[in-house]
Amino acid sequence: MKKFNFRKVLDGLTASSPVGSSGGGSGSGAGGGSVHPGGTAGAAGTPREEIQETLTSDYFQICKTVRHGFPYLPTALAFDPVQKILAIGTRTGAIRILGRPGVDCYCQHESGAAVLQLQFLINEGALVSACADDALHLWNLRQKRPAVLHSLKFNRERITYCHLPFQSKWLYVGTERGNTHIVNIESFILSGYVIMWNKAIELSTKTHPGPVVHLSDSPRDEGKLLIGYENGTIVFWDLRSKRADLRAYYDEAIHSVAWHHEGKQFMCSHSDGSLTLWNLKSPNRPFQTTIPHGKVQRDGKKPESCKPILKVEYKTCKNSEPFVIFSGGLSYDKPCRRPSLTIMHGKAITVLEMDHPIVDFLTLCETPYPNEFQEPYAVVVLLEKDLIVVDLTQSNFPIFENPYPIDIHESPVTCTEYFADCPPDLIPVLYSVGAKHKKQGYSNKEWPISGGAWNLGAQTYPEIIITGHADGSVKFWDASAITLQMLYKLKTSKVFEKQKVGEGKATAEIVEEDPFAIQMMYWCPESRIFCVAGVSAYVIVYKFSKHEVNTEIASLEVRLQCEVEDIITPEPETNPPFPDASSQLPSLKSLSGSTNTVACEGTMKDSIPCLSVKARPVRMPPGYQADLVIQLVWVDGEPPQQITSLAVNSAYGLVAFGNCNGLAVVDFMQKTVLLSMGTLDLYGSSDPYQRQPRSPRKSRQFAAGLTELSDSPVSLELERCKSPTSENRENSFSRSRSSSVSSIDRDSKEAITALYFMESFARKNDSAVSSCLWVGTGLGMVIILSLNLPASDDLRQSEPVVVSPSGTVLTLKGAVLTFACLDCMGTLTHRPYEVWRDPHSADDGDKTRKRKLVMHSPSSSQDMGDHQFAVICSEKQAKVFSLPSQTCLYVHNITETSFLLRADVVTLCNSVCLACFCANGHIMTLSLPSLRPLLDINYLPVTDMRIARTFCFTNEGQALYLSSPTEIQRLTYSQEMCDNLQDMLGDLFTPVETPEAQNRGFLKGLFGGSGQAFDREELFGEATAGKASRSLAQHIPGSGGIEGVRGAAGGVIGDLTRARIALDERGQKLGELDERTASMMASAEAFSKHAHEVMLKYKDKKWYQF
C-alpha cells in the first residue's frame, strides 16, 4: 500500500510541477509542485484523472482595451470642426481623442514629455502634437489605434507655439529664441525658410522681443503672417518679400492674439487684464483698449490693472454682435473669486465661474474657413479636473450635459470592483433608479463633439464596475462593450449624523479626514445585497428596493479586541471558546441610546463607535436602502482597527468581517451579533502557534489612509517585508513557547484577510456538504467554521444561528487572499444566494412569504458529488485541497521574492482559472484544479498604492485598475478579446466632405484682398528656400506606417491610408536619393574643379618638363 501511495505522490508532483518555470519572472525558485506534508495523497489521483482541463496558454494574451475618465493633468486642447472630434493633451505625454459617446481613444508619447500644443489637420485624419522635449509628432488617426507617422526633434531651439493654416501642408513653428521655422507636414522636413527674430523687429530695437507666443496667417491674405512676441511686439510679416509690413508695440506682455474674420483688425490679450484692438491701417497704437473687469477710476485715469487675460477669441456673427470670449482678467481685489470664463456679446458681459482652474478653451464655429463669418455655437472649456461645453446659442449660456464618464474622480476613488457577465436585468434596473437623480438646467441641444463612428461589436454580455470613494459615495457604472456610463450613485454617509465642527475628535485617532471613505465593497448581483466597509470601522448592509421607504436605521455595536481579561483559557475540551448562539444578546439599538448609555471612566473611551447613526426615521429613495449598520467600538481607550475582510451571504442571512484583532459574524435578518472574538480564539485547541494571548499595544493601522492614492511611489516590497515571513512561520511549528519571544509577540496580532461563505465539507469524515464560513488569516492559516442554520425557512427569523469551530485548520505561506470551490467535475460552484425580492413590495403585505434560495450553481449537477475541490490562494502560493479528505492535491509557489496583491478565481471560455497580480508587476494565470502556469507577463510596475488598491480581475478575461487619480484603465488577458478588439473600438476618422467656401463675390474678390494666389510650395520648397541646417532638427520616422495599414485595413480608407503611407515612404526614399545625388554632384563638381586647376597648371609645359 505504501508503494501505491508513493507513486501517487510522484504523480501529483509531476502533474503540478510546471515545465521550465514556476511563476516565471515572479522570483519563484521552488519548482511549484509539492504535496502538503500533513495530508495523504491516497485519494488524490482519482478526481484529478476525471477532470479534463480545457484552458491552455493559447487562450491568454494581455493588452490594454480602453481608458475611461478625465485625462490626468491636462495641458492642451484641439478640435476638428469638420470631423467634430476633440483632442486633449496631458502633462504625462498622453493624448485623449473624444468623439460621439463610445469614441474614446488614448495614445501615449513614448518620451512621456508634456504636450504643449495640439493641431488637427482639419478633415485629414491626422494630428500634430508639440511636446515639451521640443519634438513635433504627426499622428495618423485613420486607424483605430493612432500611431506616430513622423517625428521632428529640435536640437537647438525650444518650441513655444505652432500654427497650421486650414488646408495647408506647411506648419509654422515659433521658438523661445523668437525665430519662426516652417515644417512640411507630409515629409516632416524643415524648410530652409526661416523668419529670424532680428529680421522681424526693427534694427533700432535694443532688446530681444522674447519667445513667440502667437502665429497666424491673415484671413485676408495667406501670404501675410502675424507674429506675436511675449514682450508686446507684434510683427505683420510678408512671406513673399521676406520683410515686415508693419510692426506694433504695446507696453504689456502679450498672451494671445485673435483675428476679425475680415482680416483688417485683430485683438490682443495682455498681462494687465487688458484687451487691445488694432487696425492694420494705423498700427502705431491700438484704436481700442479695454480692461473688462477693471474698476473705472473717478478722476478719469486708466482703470486699475487686473489679472492676466491668458487667452482671447474674437468670433463674428452675421446677424448679431461679435463674441469676445476670454479666460482670466479678474480684478485683484477679490482674491477668493473662482476661475472664470467671460463672454462679451455686444454690451452684455457674462462671467461663468468654474470649479477648477482653466487650462484652455476653444470656440466651436460653423465654418472651418477663417475668412468667413464664424457663427460660434459653443465653447469647450478644459479645466484642470473637468471638461465643460457652454451653449452660445441661448442667452443664458447653459452647459451641455456631458456624455463622457469624466466625473469618476468627483471624490477620490478608494476601491473598485468589476463584474462581467452579471444578470442582464441589473443594468436597466439600476439605471431606472439612478435616472431619477438627474440634474435639470442643461442645454437642450445635441452634444456638439459628435465625430467618429462606433458600433456595439460582438461582445454582448453585461458588465458593471463599482467604484467606492473618499466621501462615502459608491457609483455603479455600466461598462458593457468597452464603454462606461454611470447608472446609479449611492451616498453611504447619509446613514450617519453630520459631524459638527470640533466634534471630529472621536475619529481623529483612526482617520484624520474623510471618515466615510469606502474601504471594501461586497456585492451579490443575484440577490442584489450590497455591503460596504468604511474606514471608520463600520459595515453597512444594503438591500435593493424599487419603492421609497421612511424608516429607522437598525444598528449594532461590536466589541472586537483581543484582551487578556476577556479570553478564557481553561482546557479547550471542557470549555469551547465559541459561545452558544442563544447566549448572545441581540444588542439591537436604534442608536439614540447607544452613545448615551456608554460608561466612560474619566477620559478613557470605551464602547463608543466612531460615528453616530441617525436616530430619527430616514427617507430612503428607491435603490439601495440601508438595512443594518454595524460599528466596531473603542476598547479601553483604543480606537477600533480598520476592517480588512468582508463577506455577505444572502441565503444564510449573514455578514462576516474581520480586522487585525479578530472576526465578527452578524445575522442581518435577526439583527444580532453571532460571534465576536479574537483571531487566536478561533483556533480553539487547533492553534499551531501555541501563543499566549496578550493585551494589545496600540498598533499601526492595517491600511494606510485610503485617500492617499497619489502618484508618490510607495515601496510595497518594503511595506510587506514587515509582515511575518513564511520562513518564520514554518519554523515556528517546531519551536517551544519560549524559543523566540519576539516572533510570538509579533504573531499574536493575526489579521483576518479573507472570508468566504460556501456549502462545503467542514470536517474530514463529513459525508455531505453543510454551510461553512472559511476564514483566512494574515499568517496563512485557514480556519473552517460550521454554520448551523434553522432547518426550515419559517424558523429562520426566530431560531438562532449557531457558529461553531469545525476543528479544521489548513496552512499556506503568506496572507490568504481568496477562496473558491469547484465541484467534482472541476466546475466553479456558485455561492448560495437568495433570489432577489423587493423588501417593500406593495402587492405583498405579509412578511412571512417564503424566501427562494439557490444553494448551488445551476450549471453543476443536482448532486454535488462525494467530493469537491477547495482553491485557496495566498500572497505567496496557491493550493488545491480535495474535500472532505483535506488532501492537498496541488500546490504552486507563485513567488518567493515578491507577493500577490490580488487573486481571483474567474471563468473564461466556459472554464475556470486563477488570475493573479503580483507586486513586481507580473500578471499570471494558473489552470484549475492542477495549478499549471498558463500566462506570466511582466506587465505593470506597481509604482504607487493606487494601482495596488484598485486592481481587480473579473470573468471573461477582463481586469481594471486606476491608472491615475482620474482614470480607469481596462485591460484583457483573453486572446479572443485581443483578437476582436479592433472591431470593438470606435473609428476616429469618418469620410466627410469639407464644406465649400462661401462665394465671396466679384467686388470683394477684387478689392478685399490680395489679387495674386499664394503658393506656399514655391516659397517654402527646397528649390526656392533651400535646405534647413541639419543640426537644427532631426527627422525620426514613426512606427505608425505598417500599423496604420493594419489598423485601416478595410474599405476605401484602408486603400487611401496605404497609398498615403506608400507615398510618404516613397517621398522619404526619394528625399534620401536626392540627398545622395546632391552629394555625388558636389563631389563630382569638386573633382572637375580640381582637375581643371591641374590642367591649367601644366597646360604649357612639355611632356619632358613634368
Side-chain angles (χ1 to χ4, degrees):
M1 188 65 188
K2 277 184 182 176
K3 190 176 176 186
F4 173 77
N5 272 351
F6 186 66
R7 199 182 74 227
K8 291 290 182 192
V9 169
L10 288 176
D11 283 353
L13 272 168
T14 52
S16 63
S17 181
V19 180
S21 101
S22 158
S26 309
S28 170
S34 61
V35 174
H36 189 273
T40 58
T46 324
R48 191 183 72 240
E49 285 157 12
E50 290 173 11
I51 294 168
Q52 291 292 316
E53 292 180 4
T54 56
L55 291 180
T56 63
S57 56
D58 297 338
Y59 282 79
F60 296 93
Q61 174 63 43
I62 286 190
C63 69
K64 290 180 180 176
T65 53
V66 68
R67 187 173 287 215
H68 303 296
F70 182 75
Y72 184 54
L73 303 173
T75 53
L77 186 65
F79 183 70
D80 185 326
V82 180
Q83 286 288 321
K84 296 198 182 307
I85 55 174
L86 186 82
I88 299 172
T90 75
R91 201 180 300 169
T92 57
I95 299 175
R96 280 283 286 285
I97 302 166
L98 303 167
R100 66 177 67 245
V103 178
D104 184 342
C105 177
Y106 165 82
C107 31
Q108 174 74 43
H109 290 94
E110 283 181 18
S111 65
V115 178
L116 297 178
Q117 204 180 340
L118 295 169
Q119 288 262 308
F120 275 104
L121 277 67
I122 294 172
N123 206 24
E124 291 284 329
L127 175 74
V128 174
S129 60
C131 294
D133 61 349
D134 306 305
L136 296 170
H137 306 276
L138 178 66
W139 294 84
N140 177 14
L141 307 185
R142 292 179 179 238
Q143 56 194 69
K144 293 194 175 185
R145 284 191 180 272
V148 174
L149 286 169
H150 299 283
S151 297
L152 189 68
K153 178 88 166 66
F154 280 74
N155 298 323
R156 299 202 307 246
E157 300 220 43
R158 309 224 62 184
I159 298 170
T160 54
Y161 195 87
C162 297
H163 169 64
L164 180 68
F166 179 46
Q167 293 181 324
S168 164
K169 67 172 188 179
W170 297 94
L171 174 77
Y172 301 113
V173 181
T175 69
E176 197 172 51
R177 289 186 184 176
N179 302 326
T180 302
H181 299 277
I182 299 163
V183 177
N184 184 318
I185 286 296
E186 288 177 354
S187 61
F188 241 57
I189 291 170
L190 212 55
S191 165
Y193 192 115
V194 186
I195 305 168
M196 304 299 285
W197 68 271
N198 53 354
K199 297 274 177 29
I201 63 168
E202 281 184 314
L203 293 173
S204 58
T205 311
K206 292 178 181 175
T207 54
H208 190 278
V212 174
V213 293
H214 178 83
L215 291 167
S216 61
D217 52 338
S218 163
R220 203 174 181 205
D221 182 357
E222 295 172 343
K224 305 284 176 70
L225 185 69
L226 190 75
I227 308 169
Y229 294 96
E230 191 179 67
N231 75 352
T233 303
I234 298 156
V235 174
F236 196 46
W237 184 263
D238 188 327
L239 292 162
R240 296 183 195 88
S241 61
K242 300 184 183 178
R243 61 183 179 81
D245 263 14
L246 62 88
R247 298 181 179 93
Y249 300 96
Y250 194 69
D251 52 6
E252 291 292 340
I254 293 174
H255 283 284
S256 73
V257 183
W259 279 102
H260 185 282
H261 83 273
E262 289 178 350
K264 295 176 184 175
Q265 50 183 252
F266 58 89
M267 184 179 283
C268 300
S269 73
H270 300 277
S271 55
D272 63 344
S274 66
L275 294 172
T276 55
L277 197 56
W278 301 77
N279 197 312
L280 292 180
K281 288 183 179 174
S282 52
N284 296 331
R285 59 189 180 87
F287 76 85
Q288 187 182 320
T289 303
T290 53
I291 301 182
H293 294 298
K295 282 185 181 174
V296 180
Q297 308 288 3
R298 286 183 181 175
D299 50 5
K301 286 182 184 173
K302 183 184 170 186
E304 63 178 33
S305 62
C306 294
K307 293 175 184 174
I309 293 180
L310 300 175
K311 183 174 181 179
V312 66
E313 295 216 328
Y314 186 19
K315 300 297 180 185
T316 52
C317 306
K318 203 168 193 174
N319 301 317
S320 70
E321 296 283 323
F323 280 89
V324 175
I325 303 165
F326 62 87
S327 60
L330 293 179
S331 167
Y332 279 109
D333 64 351
K334 292 180 181 172
C336 298
R337 276 190 77 170
R338 294 193 290 178
S340 67
L341 185 82
T342 305
I343 301 172
M344 295 166 65
H345 188 219
K347 291 182 179 176
I349 298 181
T350 307
V351 179
L352 304 177
E353 290 196 336
M354 304 293 168
D355 292 333
H356 309 284
I358 296 172
V359 175
D360 198 358
F361 73 89
L362 284 174
T363 310
L364 309 189
C365 300
E366 296 289 354
T367 176
Y369 294 94
N371 57 358
E372 297 177 354
F373 280 105
Q374 297 298 285
E375 305 296 349
Y377 59 90
V379 183
V380 180
V381 190
L382 177 63
L383 308 177
E384 273 186 9
K385 293 186 177 178
D386 204 355
L387 180 73
I388 287 170
V389 183
V390 181
D391 185 353
L392 292 179
T393 61
Q394 296 178 47
S395 56
N396 60 337
F397 303 130
I399 64 167
F400 289 87
E401 187 172 8
N402 198 320
Y404 310 131
I406 58 167
D407 56 346
I408 291 169
H409 62 287
E410 189 178 17
S411 169
V413 176
T414 53
C415 57
T416 57
E417 290 296 336
Y418 191 5
F419 299 86
D421 209 7
C422 47
D425 59 334
L426 277 174
I427 288 174
V429 161
L430 286 167
Y431 184 77
S432 67
V433 293
K436 289 164 186 165
H437 306 156
K438 297 271 182 192
K439 293 179 190 170
Q440 301 300 313
Y442 288 113
S443 169
N444 53 11
K445 296 269 175 67
E446 289 287 316
W447 179 251
I449 304 160
S450 56
W454 179 77
N455 53 16
L456 205 58
Q459 183 189 325
T460 51
Y461 53 82
E463 298 171 73
I464 289 177
I465 291 170
I466 309 177
T467 53
H469 300 263
D471 64 354
S473 61
V474 174
K475 291 179 181 177
F476 291 76
W477 305 84
D478 176 5
S480 309
I482 70 169
T483 61
L484 196 70
Q485 183 183 6
M486 194 164 91
L487 294 169
Y488 173 69
K489 181 178 178 181
L490 172 67
K491 294 179 179 175
T492 65
S493 59
K494 285 193 169 181
V495 304
F496 299 106
E497 297 286 3
K498 283 184 181 173
Q499 288 184 310
K500 291 172 187 168
V501 179
E503 270 190 13
K505 300 294 180 200
T507 43
E509 290 86 343
I510 181 169
V511 183
E512 288 180 12
E513 54 184 22
D514 299 317
F516 308 115
I518 304 293
Q519 193 164 16
M520 306 186 90
M521 302 180 292
Y522 194 101
W523 191 42
C524 175
E526 290 80 12
S527 64
R528 302 186 190 172
I529 291 275
F530 182 63
C531 196
V532 297
V535 78
S536 300
Y538 62 82
V539 169
I540 310 174
V541 180
Y542 284 91
K543 288 186 175 176
F544 188 86
S545 174
K546 293 180 181 178
H547 303 279
E548 186 176 308
V549 66
N550 210 346
T551 183
E552 286 193 13
I553 301 167
S555 65
L556 289 171
E557 288 171 9
V558 175
R559 190 180 175 95
L560 196 57
Q561 202 87 357
C562 50
E563 299 171 278
V564 170
E565 307 88 74
D566 294 350
I567 291 176
I568 305 161
T569 51
E571 290 301 309
E573 290 81 21
T574 57
N575 225 345
F578 280 76
D580 189 83
S582 57
S583 69
Q584 293 282 343
L585 292 172
S587 68
L588 171 61
K589 310 180 182 92
S590 79
L591 214 86
S592 54
S594 63
T595 47
N596 302 334
T597 54
V598 166
C600 291
E601 301 169 14
T603 56
M604 185 181 281
K605 291 180 179 173
D606 191 59
S607 304
I608 306 174
C610 292
L611 301 167
S612 300
V613 179
K614 286 178 180 173
R616 60 189 181 280
V618 176
R619 186 188 75 84
M620 300 182 192
Y624 274 105
Q625 300 166 348
D627 186 57
L628 176 64
V629 180
I630 309 153
Q631 295 192 88
L632 294 179
V633 295
W634 287 65
V635 178
D636 297 336
E638 285 205 16
Q641 297 294 301
Q642 288 177 1
I643 290 162
T644 56
S645 56
L646 176 68
V648 192
N649 191 281
S650 55
Y652 302 163
L654 303 180
V655 55
F657 58 93
N659 64 9
C660 60
N661 286 330
L663 171 72
V665 181
V666 172
D667 182 340
F668 64 79
M669 291 179 73
Q670 294 186 29
K671 313 283 193 284
T672 57
V673 180
L674 301 179
L675 176 76
S676 165
M677 59 170 52
T679 314
L680 307 188
D681 305 341
L682 295 172
Y683 291 103
S685 58
S686 313
D687 183 8
Y689 285 95
Q690 305 172 358
R691 289 165 292 199
Q692 291 244 39
R694 65 179 177 85
S695 182
R697 290 189 296 273
K698 185 161 182 178
S699 66
R700 182 174 62 84
Q701 285 296 327
F702 186 82
L706 275 174
T707 49
E708 294 167 12
L709 300 189
S710 65
D711 278 331
S712 55
V714 175
S715 173
L716 291 164
E717 308 283 349
L718 194 67
E719 191 71 21
R720 293 309 284 265
C721 286
K722 295 174 188 170
S723 71
T725 61
S726 53
E727 187 187 355
N728 285 342
R729 182 165 52 257
E730 296 298 331
N731 295 345
S732 69
F733 285 110
S734 56
R735 282 185 188 145
S736 67
R737 192 174 293 181
S738 59
S739 64
S740 171
V741 178
S742 62
S743 71
I744 295 169
D745 186 56
R746 181 176 55 190
D747 285 353
S748 58
K749 271 272 189 181
E750 188 173 358
I752 307 293
T753 56
L755 295 164
Y756 188 71
F757 288 103
M758 65 173 153
E759 295 286 294
S760 181
F761 298 94
R763 298 169 187 83
K764 272 192 180 181
N765 51 3
D766 282 3
S767 57
V769 294
S770 58
S771 305
C772 297
L773 172 61
W774 289 59
V775 181
T777 77
L779 300 183
M781 295 294 158
V782 177
I783 305 159
I784 304 177
L785 305 182
S786 287
L787 308 173
N788 193 349
L789 297 157
S792 71
D793 191 46
D794 304 335
L795 301 171
R796 180 63 186 86
Q797 291 286 359
S798 53
E799 290 285 314
V801 176
V802 180
V803 183
S804 57
S806 66
T808 301
V809 176
L810 307 171
T811 61
L812 287 89
K813 289 181 189 174
V816 178
L817 294 179
T818 193
F819 298 105
C821 190
L822 309 181
D823 65 14
C824 57
M825 302 304 292
T827 309
L828 184 65
T829 308
H830 201 292
R831 289 181 292 266
Y833 62 90
E834 177 192 355
V835 176
W836 178 77
R837 57 188 181 135
D838 198 321
H840 307 297
S841 179
D843 60 346
D844 197 69
D846 62 320
K847 294 285 178 187
T848 56
R849 58 190 164 150
K850 270 200 171 297
R851 298 160 71 221
K852 186 179 175 186
L853 304 181
V854 177
M855 296 310 282
H856 46 71
S857 168
S859 61
S860 63
S861 59
Q862 287 297 314
D863 181 18
M864 292 286 284
D866 58 348
H867 66 270
Q868 62 180 190
F869 302 101
V871 180
I872 310 171
C873 186
S874 76
E875 62 184 15
K876 293 285 185 184
Q877 66 177 186
K879 285 187 177 181
V880 175
F881 292 90
S882 176
L883 300 179
S885 69
Q886 294 175 15
T887 308
C888 179
L889 294 177
Y890 306 98
V891 59
H892 182 74
N893 292 310
I894 296 167
T895 176
E896 292 291 342
T897 56
S898 187
F899 56 93
L900 293 188
L901 293 164
R902 180 82 184 213
D904 289 294
V905 174
V906 292
T907 57
L908 178 71
C909 301
N910 298 317
S911 194
V912 64
C913 66
L914 174 65
C916 309
F917 175 51
C918 195
N920 61 14
H922 284 248
I923 291 177
M924 292 162 275
T925 59
L926 303 172
S927 71
L928 289 175
S930 68
L931 298 177
R932 284 179 298 107
L934 299 171
L935 172 81
D936 184 353
I937 291 181
N938 187 359
Y939 174 73
L940 179 73
V942 181
T943 50
D944 51 56
M945 285 299 288
R946 182 182 57 253
I947 296 171
R949 285 228 185 89
T950 58
F951 197 100
C952 53
F953 295 99
T954 186
N955 298 331
E956 307 305 331
Q958 302 219 59
L960 68 78
Y961 62 94
L962 229 69
S963 55
S964 75
T966 62
E967 294 165 290
I968 288 174
Q969 177 67 57
R970 285 162 73 178
L971 56 122
T972 181
Y973 50 96
S974 154
Q975 180 69 61
E976 185 186 7
M977 191 167 176
C978 287
D979 294 342
N980 296 333
L981 190 58
Q982 282 290 335
D983 300 331
M984 298 163 71
L985 295 171
D987 288 297
L988 295 172
F989 180 80
T990 50
V992 179
E993 283 213 13
T994 303
E996 284 188 20
Q998 291 173 9
N999 188 0
R1000 299 187 68 203
F1002 174 73
L1003 290 172
K1004 205 163 191 180
L1006 197 62
F1007 302 111
S1010 165
Q1012 65 187 108
F1014 176 60
D1015 188 352
R1016 292 189 181 93
E1017 184 69 44
E1018 186 186 328
L1019 204 57
F1020 306 143
E1022 198 179 308
T1024 312
K1027 285 188 177 180
S1029 165
R1030 282 182 175 238
S1031 59
L1032 184 60
Q1034 176 192 357
H1035 176 262
I1036 305 159
S1039 59
I1042 297 148
E1043 286 175 33
V1045 175
R1046 282 201 202 113
V1052 183
I1053 299 171
D1055 299 335
L1056 283 170
T1057 310
R1058 275 194 291 274
R1060 187 173 192 130
I1061 290 160
L1063 277 170
D1064 281 350
E1065 287 169 356
R1066 183 166 169 261
Q1068 201 176 316
K1069 284 171 187 164
L1070 283 170
E1072 288 167 9
L1073 183 66
D1074 214 19
E1075 281 177 29
R1076 280 204 297 273
T1077 310
S1079 107
M1080 283 167 72
M1081 279 175 71
S1083 68
E1085 203 174 315
F1087 177 75
S1088 162
K1089 191 178 175 186
H1090 187 64
H1092 187 66
E1093 283 170 1
V1094 171
M1095 186 270 287
L1096 289 173
K1097 187 177 178 182
Y1098 298 112
K1099 190 172 71 167
D1100 298 327
K1101 292 189 180 181
K1102 304 288 182 196
W1103 64 268
Y1104 49 82
Q1105 291 176 320
F1106 288 125

